């Protein structure tokens, strides 16, 4: 059971969501009501809470035909970055939390993830293929600085020579350049850095606890200087808000050393649509109707269409125009290349203490 409209009982600096819509699986919802007695009281700040979860299994599988990977790892559930547009927000409902402020403030850490990963990779029946990390929630969100769960996972993947693709907005990834550079030298890793806008003001209200765009561009440079291939991900493209920046983002990333690019259109599954509409009304009331009108045009008249093949690119004339703009700019900047698959033929279970050594 989750609390609705938690902003009425807390101050929420640095948060994107303005409310806590009820969990769609709950039969009962609780709504905070202002009874007039606390008008002069200082409201408490909504702090981030982290709960540990002992994972039984860490590799998740998917069969989505429009994804380039069939397995992934999530070191954390929920994300303090708090991007208002995050398509992963609805997944928090499965944990009994709201996709709104709960998603940004009630986080789940999986401290035994590396241990379970080592066990799963050691299974004789395991067949290696690229593992995606950061495909749901960001592995380099702020709590990773203290918890270091992502670094422990990387250490396991390095020991097994297992390929990994990482997606992040977090500059904390620079901490792990030592491991990533070692893996990149063997064609075992690549990184996607998401840049939604170059405008720091827009970024701060849309993705409040994400490093600013300039910092992410510097991270691209530092990774590429270390020999780690970086793809800039212009995603999501928000119509009538950030779409005019497409070419500028690609150009800035190319100057920073990015070797490839991709782009995904805004998608608003389930509760994200209401949260995003409310956010637009608060921060961009002059264009809220225009933005949502374009979003519905992209998704067949609905806030979101989950159909494979079109959910990430949209449909209609505007979607086609954006694809043409992206392809033209990427080609001009040399970012339209297809990166070769990561290697799987180096995978091997490392020897464990007590193992009998081979004579050959």
């Amino acid at each position: 059971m989750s609390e609705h409209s938690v902003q009425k009982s807390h101050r929420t600096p640095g948060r994107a969501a303005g409310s806590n819509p009820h969990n769609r699986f709950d039969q009962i919802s609780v709504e905070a009501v202002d009874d007039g007695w606390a008008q002069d009281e200082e409201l408490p700040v909504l702090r981030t809470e982290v709960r540990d979860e002992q994972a039984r299994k860490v590799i998740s599988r998917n069969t989505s035909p429009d994804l380039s990977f069939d397995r992934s790892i999530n070191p954390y559930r929920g994300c303090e970055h708090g991007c208002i547009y995050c398509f992963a927000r609805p997944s928090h409902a499965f944990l009994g939390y709201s996709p709104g402020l709960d998603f940004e403030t009630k986080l789940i850490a999986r401290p035994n993830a590396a241990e379970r990963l080592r066990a799963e990779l050691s299974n004789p029946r395991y067949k290696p293929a690229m593992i995606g990390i950061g495909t749901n929630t960001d592995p380099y969100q702020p709590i990773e600085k203290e918890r270091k769960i992502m670094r422990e996972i990387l250490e396991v993947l390095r020991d097994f020579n297992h390929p990994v693709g990482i997606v992040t907005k977090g500059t904390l990834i620079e901490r792990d350049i030592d491991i990533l550079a070692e893996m990149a030298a063997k064609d075992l890793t690549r990184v996607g850095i998401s840049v939604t806008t170059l405008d720091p003001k827009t970024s701060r209200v849309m993705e409040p606890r994400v490093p600013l765009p300039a910092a992410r561009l510097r991270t691209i440079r530092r990774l590429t200087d270390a020999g780690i291939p970086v793809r800039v991900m212009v995603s999501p493209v928000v119509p009538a808000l950030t779409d005019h920046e497409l070419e500028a983002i690609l150009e800035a990333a190319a100057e920073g050393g990015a070797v490839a690019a991709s782009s995904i259109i805004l998608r608003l599954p389930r509760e994200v649509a209401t949260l995003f509409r409310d956010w637009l009304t608060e921060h961009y009331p002059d264009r809220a109707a225009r933005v949502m009108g374009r979003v519905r045009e992209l998704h067949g008249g609905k806030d979101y269409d989950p159909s494979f093949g079109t959910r990430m690119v949209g449909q209609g004339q505007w979607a086609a125009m954006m694809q043409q703009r992206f392809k033209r700019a990427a080609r001009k900047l040399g970012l339209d290349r297809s990166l070769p698959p990561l290697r799987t033929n180096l995978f091997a279970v490392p020897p464990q203490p007590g193992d009998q050594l081979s004579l050959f």
Side-chain angles (χ1 to χ4, degrees):
M1 181 164 55
S2 54
E3 182 181 339
H4 180 66
S5 299
V6 84
Q7 81 279 11
K8 294 182 180 179
S9 55
H10 292 84
R11 287 188 291 119
T12 57
R15 308 295 182 181
S19 64
N20 238 3
H22 68 84
N23 186 315
R24 63 183 178 277
F25 299 115
D26 285 345
Q27 295 182 343
I28 301 175
S29 63
V30 177
E31 183 172 352
V33 176
D34 183 1
D35 59 7
W37 285 96
Q39 291 181 357
D40 298 325
E41 290 185 12
E42 182 70 15
L43 298 178
V45 173
L46 189 61
R47 303 292 185 185
T48 301
E49 303 172 15
V50 184
R51 178 169 65 85
D52 285 350
E53 171 191 83
Q54 293 299 309
R56 291 178 295 177
K57 182 179 179 182
V58 294
I59 300 179
S60 300
R61 304 280 181 154
N62 79 81
T63 57
S64 301
D66 55 357
L67 295 180
S68 60
F69 57 92
D70 68 352
R71 63 200 70 182
S72 60
I73 297 174
N74 291 300
Y76 304 99
R77 302 179 190 271
C79 187
E80 195 176 4
H81 278 163
C83 304
I84 190 61
Y85 51 72
C86 184
F87 66 86
R89 284 181 177 273
S91 66
H92 228 44
F94 292 104
L95 305 176
Y97 294 132
S98 168
L101 283 164
D102 281 356
F103 179 79
E104 306 174 37
T105 62
K106 298 183 185 299
L107 312 180
I108 307 296
R110 310 174 82 189
N112 70 329
E115 173 191 340
R116 295 310 311 150
L117 176 61
R118 186 177 295 275
E120 291 177 47
L121 297 184
S122 298
N123 189 318
R125 295 189 296 274
Y126 181 80
K127 302 297 182 183
M130 188 193 78
I131 289 177
I133 305 182
T135 57
N136 196 53
T137 57
D138 202 313
Y140 288 106
Q141 58 180 289
I143 59 172
E144 167 62 16
K145 185 175 182 179
E146 174 187 350
R147 294 303 185 98
K148 300 180 181 178
I149 298 173
M150 177 60 177
R151 183 169 177 86
E152 293 174 358
I153 289 172
L154 285 179
E155 289 171 343
V156 173
L157 294 172
R158 176 198 59 194
D159 293 347
F160 281 76
N161 282 323
H162 194 291
V164 60
I166 301 168
V167 176
T168 185
K169 294 183 175 71
T171 56
L172 183 57
I173 192 174
E174 294 177 28
R175 179 202 62 191
D176 296 337
I177 281 179
D178 57 334
I179 299 176
L180 295 171
E182 182 181 345
M183 297 183 72
K186 300 178 182 179
D187 295 326
L188 290 174
T189 191
R190 65 175 58 113
V191 173
I193 300 291
S194 175
V195 182
T196 313
T197 177
L198 296 178
D199 180 9
K201 293 182 179 179
T202 302
S203 177
R204 187 51 71 228
V205 297
M206 188 165 60
E207 37 197 30
R209 301 200 177 199
V210 175
L212 290 173
R216 280 176 265 171
L217 292 172
R218 288 193 295 270
T219 294
I220 291 176
R221 170 53 66 192
R222 288 165 183 160
L223 292 173
T224 55
D225 283 350
I228 302 161
V230 177
R231 174 190 301 274
V232 61
M233 305 175 69
V234 189
S235 59
V237 175
V238 184
L241 184 58
T242 67
D243 59 283
H244 64 284
E245 298 186 73
L246 176 65
E247 290 83 359
I249 293 172
L250 291 174
E251 184 175 352
E255 290 176 357
V259 298
S262 62
S263 179
I264 298 177
I265 210 71
L266 177 68
R267 47 194 180 122
L268 303 173
R270 294 188 180 274
E271 296 91 345
V272 186
T274 299
L275 290 165
F276 187 78
R277 280 197 303 267
D278 291 346
W279 176 87
L280 273 176
T281 300
E282 178 180 355
H283 294 282
Y284 296 95
D286 60 321
R287 69 185 81 180
R290 180 183 173 196
V291 172
M292 290 308 301
R294 186 69 75 187
V295 166
R296 285 187 282 272
E297 177 187 330
L298 287 164
H299 297 287
K302 298 178 288 186
D303 288 342
Y304 180 59
D305 179 1
S307 300
F308 293 130
T310 60
R311 58 178 179 159
M312 299 186 195
V313 296
Q315 54 187 289
Q317 294 183 349
W318 193 84
M321 180 187 68
M322 290 302 299
Q323 291 179 54
Q324 292 172 5
R325 284 176 55 191
F326 173 80
K327 290 178 181 178
R328 186 182 303 114
R331 188 184 315 114
K332 177 182 177 181
L333 296 166
L335 297 175
D336 60 339
R337 57 185 292 194
S338 296
L339 298 178
L342 297 175
R343 295 181 66 177
T344 58
N345 61 333
L346 298 178
F347 174 80
V349 178
Q352 301 298 312
D355 286 354
Q356 182 175 355
L357 298 178
S358 171
L359 296 176
F360 302 99

